[in-house]
Amino acid sequence: MRKGPVGVQRMNQRDRDLGTPELARKRAALVGDGDPAMSSLPLGVYLERGLLHHDYDVARRMFDAGMHYRYCYGVVFGRSSVRAITDMPNGRNENIDELLEEIEPAYWRLARAIANPRQVFSAVWQVCIHDQFVGRWDLEQLKTGLARLGRA
């Protein structure tokens, strides 16, 4: 198995925009004054637009909780996208059985935290797993779910 970094590291993406000028404008429009690199995921757009919480530190913790849930889901059930490879932490994907043994209990703990009501689970599922934007009412459910994930 290959050791070392896979793909472009996220810390280097802030200053890179590898798209056409039209795509760069579209990404910038999605996040407003925020980081255009965050426009690749709906959760990042919500973070950069200030829709998760008025306090950026709290919003960032909610974002991190959603990304952790996404990562745990990807380890337990797999992801069917190219992004799945880059979501794996560097050097940790060599022994998937050990990783699964470590992550699976965490995934189920997080899943139980957002299981009820169903609307909360659905909003987190749509945004964190399926990369879909949600409506205004579902955004409130998403915020509730991300707050629960952060506490779990």
Side-chain angles (χ1 to χ4, degrees), residues 8 15 32 51 60 68 70 74-78 96 115 121 128 130 135 152:
V8 177
D15 298 325
L51 297 174
R60 183 63 198 213
H68 181 67
R70 173 190 179 90
V75 169
V76 174
F77 296 107
I96 194 69
F121 173 79
C128 295
H130 291 292

Side-chain angles (χ1 to χ4, degrees), residues 58-135:
V58 173
R60 183 63 198 213
R61 287 193 298 274
M62 292 169 80
F63 172 82
D64 290 341
M67 293 303 291
H68 181 67
Y69 176 72
R70 173 190 179 90
Y71 166 73
C72 291
Y73 176 88
V75 169
V76 174
F77 296 107
R79 302 235 348 133
S80 58
S81 70
V82 175
R83 188 178 296 147
I85 296 169
T86 60
D87 282 349
M88 295 294 283
N90 296 330
R92 297 281 310 268
N93 56 354
E94 292 179 3
N95 192 343
I96 194 69
D97 292 332
E98 287 179 12
L99 181 62
L100 187 59
E101 198 173 286
E102 176 186 334
I103 298 296
E104 190 171 16
Y107 169 76
W108 290 111
R109 179 176 40 81
L110 294 172
R112 280 191 300 276
I114 60 170
N116 290 311
R118 178 75 180 166
Q119 294 86 350
V120 170
F121 173 79
S122 179
V124 172
W125 184 264
Q126 280 183 279
V127 174
C128 295
I129 306 301
H130 291 292
D131 296 334
Q132 297 174 345
F133 288 95
V134 294

